[in-house]
């Protein structure tokens, strides 16, 4: 018997599946890191992360000044793509792979964000976790607010010209 359309689309996108559904992380959550640098994963994402990744995540730098937080299976796909880049991209390999930290959610859904990664993204306490499809972005809240305000003051990119809202 042939595969379902949903199954084929998920494979084409490389998306995770949970209970037969494609897992897509979306939405924003305002969070505060505790004194030890731990982040509490929002409850709406914990069960899916536990089921699809065993609570195992990987955090690394993003070139826009935030952090990327991947469920481990999605990280492994991303890591494979980065590892295959040519030598001309060696510095970007170092940025993504050299700064990657594997973390596990604890029993209360917290993950430790290393001091090095917190410093790289300028995250001290108030943060914003954004669902970006197959991964999350973790931003310093003030930095994100400033960059979003700057972006929305300018013109929309050309790719939105024929986009209907």
């Amino acid at each position: 018997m042939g595969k379902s359309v949903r199954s084929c689309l998920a494979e084409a996108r490389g998306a995770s599946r949970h209970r037969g559904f494609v897992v897509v992380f979306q939405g924003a959550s305002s969070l505060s890191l505790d004194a030890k640098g731990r982040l509490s994963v929002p409850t709406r994402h914990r069960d899916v992360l536990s089921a699809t990744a065993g609570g195992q995540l990987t955090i690394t730098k993003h070139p826009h000044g935030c952090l990327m937080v991947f469920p481990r299976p999605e990280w492994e796909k991303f890591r494979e793509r980065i590892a295959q880049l040519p030598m001309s991209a060696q510095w970007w390999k170092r940025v993504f792979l050299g700064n990657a930290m594997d973390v596990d959610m604890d029993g209360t859904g917290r993950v430790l964000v290393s001091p090095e990664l917190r410093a790289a993204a300028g995250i001290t306490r108030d943060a914003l976790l954004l669902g970006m499809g197959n991964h999350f972005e973790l931003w310093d809240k003030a930095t994100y607010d400033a960059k979003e305000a700057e972006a929305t003051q300018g013109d929309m990119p050309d790719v939105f010209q024929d986009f209907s809202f």
Side-chain angles (χ1 to χ4, degrees):
M1 177 170 262
K3 294 181 182 179
S4 71
V5 172
R6 183 181 293 171
S7 172
C8 291
L9 287 173
E11 286 177 20
R13 280 190 239 119
S16 293
R17 298 178 63 76
H18 176 64
R19 296 185 184 156
F21 295 97
V22 175
V23 175
V24 177
F25 300 108
Q26 63 184 26
S29 300
S30 291
L31 307 166
S32 294
L33 276 67
D34 68 14
K36 294 181 180 178
R38 292 177 298 196
L39 164 76
S40 240
V41 175
T43 54
R44 65 186 167 138
H45 300 304
R46 284 183 202 167
D47 289 343
V48 173
L49 290 171
S50 291
T52 61
Q56 296 179 322
L57 307 172
T58 299
I59 305 172
T60 194
K61 289 182 182 180
H62 187 291
H64 291 163
C66 64
L67 301 176
M68 293 185 289
V69 182
F70 288 91
R72 190 69 47 77
E74 292 299 326
W75 166 252
E76 290 168 358
K77 293 175 195 173
F78 182 78
R79 181 183 63 204
E80 226 11 77
R81 289 174 46 211
I82 296 298
Q84 293 175 14
L85 292 174
M87 281 300 290
S88 60
Q90 192 66 23
W91 271 106
W92 287 107
K93 287 182 182 182
R94 288 182 182 109
V95 169
F96 294 119
L97 302 179
N99 289 286
M101 299 257 183
D102 293 335
V103 297
D104 294 323
M105 282 194 310
D106 67 14
T108 60
R110 295 175 305 184
V111 293
L112 179 64
V113 181
S114 74
E116 297 85 0
L117 288 174
R118 289 194 315 266
I123 299 170
T124 53
R125 180 166 169 75
D126 294 328
L128 188 68
L129 186 71
L130 295 175
M132 297 297 293
N134 68 342
H135 70 283
F136 299 92
E137 288 182 354
L138 181 62
W139 286 88
D140 169 71
K141 177 95 169 81
T143 301
Y144 179 83
D145 290 345
K147 287 188 180 253
E148 181 184 76
E150 180 184 326
T152 57
Q153 293 302 313
D155 292 331
M156 281 191 147
D158 290 341
V159 297
F160 284 111
Q161 281 184 344
D162 296 324
F163 201 81
S164 176
F165 291 95

